[in-house]
Amino acid sequence: MTTTMTPPSAEAIAALAETVHGVVCARDHAEYATEVAGYNSAGTYAPEIVVGAADEHDVQAAVRFAAEHGLTVTVQATGHGNYAPVRDGLLITTTRMQSIELDPDARSVTVGAGVQWQAITPYLEPHGFVAVSGSSPSVSAVGLALGGGLGPLSRTLGCTVDYVEAFRLVDATGEVRVVDHATDEELFWALRGGKVGFGVVTEMRLRLVHLPVLYAGSLYWDGEFIEPVYRAWVDWTRSVPDAVNSSVNIIRFPDADGPPPALRGRTVIHLRYAYASPGATDDSIEAEGEAHLATFRAIGTPLLDTIGRLPGTETSGIHSDPPGQLDVWEHGLFLDEIDQDYVTALLDVVGNGRDAPFIAVETRHFGGAVATKHDESAMGGRDARYSLFLIGAPVRELFAEVLPGLAARIVGAIDQYRHHYTNYHWSGHPTGEAFRRLWTAKQHERLDRVRAAIDPGGMFAFAQTPPPDQPLNTLTDAADGARAS
């Protein structure tokens, strides 16, 4: 905020609590810790006040209260992105905003700010519809759309932002705006991929796709197959059609309950696969989908094979992202065209037999529909061909130095493949080179103009800089320093 006002008194906070339908918690409130907690249990959210909004009225009340008292505002739906150490201001949580309204005739669904993808699918499956979502079923639909929305079917269908029809937004004055192409084209462009700094989205309407069936799932091979599968996959991705979506992931499974018994305690190579052809029939899709897997069927017998026909709504089973709270350290970057030298450099650090404290090292294939519609939304980096995503072992003692150091080594080793822009850099507080890599210079300038117009006082916090004693959960300038050296 550009002005400093008197911090809210206990009486003012109590008065706010009387006006909302949800909850209001100061730091000494019994429900405070529960209210600020998110999916990433390593996140450090400690705002002065948290408002658990039950509806749009509560969001308006919270924003007006923040304006009156000179507080910055941060928003959390599921907490998948709660990496930034928020230590002041007001946090609005939207988990109670769970409205879902399907319009099958219009092929659209309208969802509240806290709705997760997994809550939408039961409404869609009877009609053969899918919503273009991400890989994790527990991410909020609104949050993913604000960031762009890459998912397991994106090469075929595009990104979540391509299907947004309208938002309801509470702006810095506490007023509600309906934002779409007709009402505010610039703000609508910015909200689809511009991430934060515009207001609080309370509701979103999405266009749906008719896709009753997929041929999809996973193949897992033991560690000895990491290199042959990875090398085959890189060559294979150069010629597959846009109906084929895939990624490869080196996973180190703990020897504990949770993973399938065949995978426990093993380091494996995981091929995620989805053949999505909206015109295919139940009879044809298996033959078409299986034909593209012949390369991998010839490599060796997998430990686990879940490939088969799936309802279009069951994409969560392709990536098998873990549910529940986790300590999360992660970093991602986008890549240009990769080759066998990329595989050599990567496996030298994280391949079979290497002692690397990452539970997942994923390379994902883009192109296809991801690369289209560049100028229709603010989502950055859509012309990248691949991405690399690292998830550290959930041991907090590794977050400050060990994981950033090893990740910097990886980034340095594959620097020649690095795409200039990386949507994955977002972690709530990117600064310096990491922030510049989110969007092109032209996109940055346009987003700055929209933010200045919609929130001239800077109420809605973004690009926060963590204090010196707070280690980052994502790699930012550390990797860039290694890259430049």
Side-chain angles (χ1 to χ4, degrees), residues 339-421:
D339 56 23
Q340 294 300 327
D341 289 342
Y342 167 83
V343 180
T344 299
L346 187 65
L347 298 190
D348 183 58
V349 184
V350 297
N352 191 40
R354 300 294 192 271
D355 185 15
F358 295 102
I359 58 172
V361 178
E362 177 205 70
T363 305
R364 189 180 300 195
H365 185 206
F366 292 161
V370 176
T372 63
K373 304 180 181 180
H374 282 105
D375 297 326
E376 296 184 15
S377 73
M379 182 179 174
R382 292 188 65 159
D383 58 340
R385 303 299 298 173
Y386 298 83
S387 68
L388 173 65
F389 197 59
L390 310 172
I391 302 178
V395 180
R396 295 190 190 187
E397 290 77 10
L398 302 177
F399 287 8
E401 296 182 6
V402 174
L403 288 168
L406 191 54
R409 178 183 163 194
I410 294 170
V411 172
I414 62 165
D415 178 62
Q416 69 188 88
Y417 305 99
R418 193 177 186 193
H419 188 67
H420 187 71
Y421 304 107

Side-chain angles (χ1 to χ4, degrees), residues 26 39 44 58 65 86 96 101 148 208 248 252 260 274 294 310-311 323 365 372 375 383 435 441 453:
Y39 175 86
T44 54
D58 288 0
F65 181 88
V86 175
R96 295 170 179 80
E101 183 178 345
L208 302 171
V248 285
R252 288 167 168 81
L310 293 174
H365 185 206
T372 63
D375 297 326
D383 58 340
F435 187 70

Side-chain angles (χ1 to χ4, degrees), residues 16 38 50 80 89 103 109-110 113 146 150 231 264 277 283 321 336 341 390 397 399 402 431 451:
L16 173 65
V50 56
H80 276 257
D103 185 339
V109 64
T110 302
L146 294 176
L150 286 161
R231 293 195 182 281
R264 291 175 191 168
S277 178
D283 292 334
D321 286 2
D336 292 320
D341 289 342
L390 310 172
E397 290 77 10
F399 287 8
V402 174
T431 58
R451 289 191 182 105

Side-chain angles (χ1 to χ4, degrees), residues 68 123 143 455 472:
E68 179 183 354
Y123 291 78
D455 182 22
L472 298 182

Side-chain angles (χ1 to χ4, degrees), residues 117-200:
W117 290 110
Q118 61 194 0
I120 302 173
T121 54
Y123 291 78
L124 309 185
E125 189 167 348
H127 303 276
F129 295 153
V130 300
V132 178
S133 65
S135 60
S136 173
S138 62
V139 169
S140 78
V142 167
L144 187 72
L146 294 176
L150 286 161
L153 304 181
S154 283
R155 271 181 48 81
T156 308
L157 301 179
C159 303
T160 306
V161 289
D162 302 330
Y163 294 84
V164 178
E165 295 184 335
F167 296 102
R168 286 180 67 89
L169 177 85
V170 175
D171 66 20
T173 69
E175 294 301 310
V176 176
R177 302 184 182 210
V178 175
V179 185
D180 56 23
H181 274 301
T183 61
D184 194 330
E185 188 171 359
E186 279 296 282
L187 182 55
F188 188 57
W189 171 85
L191 285 169
R192 290 173 299 135
K195 302 184 185 288
V196 294
F198 309 103
V200 184

